[in-house]
Amino acid sequence: MNLRAAMNLRAVWAIYRMEMARAFRTVLQSIISPVISTSLYFVVFGSAIGSRITEIDGISYGAFIVPGLTMLSLLTQSISNASFAIYFPKFVGSIYELLSAPVSYLEIIIAYVGGAATKSILLGLIILGTAALFVPLRIEHPFWMVAFLVLTAVTFSLFGFIIGIWAKTFEQLQLVPLLIVTPLTFLGGSFYSIHMLPGIWKTVTLFNPVVYLISGFRWSFYGKADVSVGVSLGMTLVFLAVCIAIVAWIFRTGYRLRN
Amino acid sequence: MSSIISISGVTKTYATGFKALKEINLDIERGEIFALLGPNGAGKTTLISIVCGIVNRSSGSVTVDGHDISKDYRAARSLIGLVPQELTIDAFETVWATVNYSRGLFGKAPNKDFVEKVLRDLSLWDKKDAKAITLSGGMKRRLMIAKALSHEPRVLFLDEPTAGVDVELRQDMWAMVRRLREDGVTIILTTHYIEEAEAMADRVGVINRGEIILVEGKAELMRKLGRKQMTLELRAPLTAMPDGLSRYALELSSDGGQLTYTYDNQSDRPGVASLIRDLEAAGIQFRDLDTKNSTLEEIFVNLLRQEP
């Protein structure tokens, strides 16, 4: 059986295209605003703190924070893109059309998560491009840089999709990104190496999953990492597997979709 | 096989324990206009939502043109167009984009000519570049229909299609539904405006408290359960009913100026002619008479009243 017959690829394309059209329609909010706020971090942290901490692990402070800040945007934007994309039709009721269409769960996921991940990858690349204007950026392992970028974007878009299905209010939609993901990212070594932390905090930090994402991503740039790259990659894959399992359960039971 | 939708033993109990549907069995004939009548909360929308795949059923089975809605959901769903009750459209999309999106979602290849025809038929072509948020309520309703028709469905569900719609648009919609039926589309319409069912339906199903209490051809239903009423305007008011007329069970108006005679359509003894002869014999003269059939609404209200 060929792919076209087995899958409703036209539906995947229709959803994906609509999601991308929405991003370009709201370019100020979805692209320009995160780029500006991340650039402010480079300027403020890079020059204010960078004048005091000149370098970490032999990397200038301004350059050191770039992977972490890119990751911060990638995580929050992947979650907010995907959660909003599925929450909004639920909120206005237009989800009826998706549920009544000859579309499989896999196709829905590919289209929505694909759309959200594409947007945040584009955003990540724009942020990296912008950062290169301010700090000397080098990428030692471009393949792994792209791999971490794509894996993280897909994983956290899936996570956002789950939040979008779970949320019953706009407040709940914001809850996880604001109260969990952003603090974890700030405390996950975006602005410092975890080796700089005092004893007990170094151990506590290792329970923060974002540490592994940032560490792996930073390694792809400068070849220096807080934890080993294999562990970083493994943790990212574990989180991806957990998200896939939850999504599979949601679709099998119709949780908050078909009940 | 003449039925295009076959619903067998379908039940739905929500997580709250509310039993929305109790053992529904219903066959929809190919090419008919079927009206599903019921008061608010009777289970109409739940039943439609189950057939369309929006809500999971608790038990039972449904086939659409022979395709099981679970095992063969792609084939089943691609045959169905749904116009829900609520006006739920992505407000920031243009008419053109949202209708083409619907077509793609249902797996159909792009066809600009067809989408243009749908929009023209629904008087939306001039608004094709307008965002849904700028449309009037009536136009939004037509846009919902355009989305449902965009993928050329063989079965169209209209859930309360004319709720809050003005008379002109209602007439337009009825004309459109008849055109679709001529093209062979099966139409299932839920409504609590009985006149809508009366004007359009071939068959009528009545649902109440999650149970189908009756399915009948509309004409048959009106013939079987309908009643006729004859009202006589008297030349001189009566103070009391003359004895010779007691067998007719007449009703005298409070001012004594009108006599009303109610008889059912099936009865062999309407006795209209003999009533008039007896009125003459009793010396009662009338200056006008009026007869009317009971409406589907009256039949419907009577049916619900008879429910325990």
Side-chain angles (χ1 to χ4, degrees), chain B residues 189-201:
Chain B
L189 119 115
T190 75
T191 180
H192 56 255
Y193 293 130
I194 318 285
E195 58 176 30
E196 198 154 77
E198 196 165 335
M200 299 210 291

Side-chain angles (χ1 to χ4, degrees), chain B residues 213-287:
Chain B
I213 56 176
L214 175 139
V215 177
E216 195 85 70
K218 183 187 67 187
E220 179 81 347
L221 180 67
M222 296 188 71
R223 194 176 63 74
K224 264 167 63 176
L225 297 177
R227 297 167 83 82
K228 275 197 143 189
Q229 228 172 30
M230 181 170 74
T231 306
L232 298 159
E233 297 278 343
L234 304 181
R235 279 196 185 280
L238 288 176
T239 49
M241 195 72 77
D243 290 341
L245 300 176
S246 57
R247 69 188 177 106
Y248 292 102
L250 293 166
E251 275 177 56
L252 185 64
S253 63
S254 57
D255 65 355
Q258 269 189 352
L259 269 180
T260 305
Y261 178 41
T262 305
Y263 52 101
D264 62 57
N265 288 350
Q266 279 192 312
S267 171
D268 291 334
R269 46 170 191 77
V272 176
S274 71
L275 170 65
I276 291 173
R277 275 199 304 274
D278 288 349
L279 283 169
E280 264 185 17
I284 300 169
Q285 293 190 314
F286 54 90
R287 57 166 180 257

Side-chain angles (χ1 to χ4, degrees), chain B residues 10 19-24 41-43 207-212:
Chain B
V10 165
K19 247 181 160 13
L21 296 177
K22 304 165 194 161
E23 188 82 21
I24 300 284
I207 183 167
N208 193 29
R209 297 195 201 112
E211 284 176 294
I212 300 267

Side-chain angles (χ1 to χ4, degrees), chain B residues 1-6 26-30 63-66:
Chain B
M1 190 181 61
S2 64
S3 67
I4 191 157
I5 293 181
S6 188
L26 180 64
D27 282 300
I28 306 294
E29 308 296 327
R30 198 175 296 273
T63 60
V64 181
D65 205 14

Side-chain angles (χ1 to χ4, degrees), chain A residues 41-56 61-62 65 191-192 196:
Chain A
Y41 281 123
F42 294 139
V43 174
V44 175
F45 282 79
S47 51
I49 300 176
S51 60
R52 289 168 188 270
I53 308 172
T54 47
E55 58 178 42
I56 298 174
Y61 186 71
I65 62 174
F191 299 105
Y192 50 81
M196 295 161 72

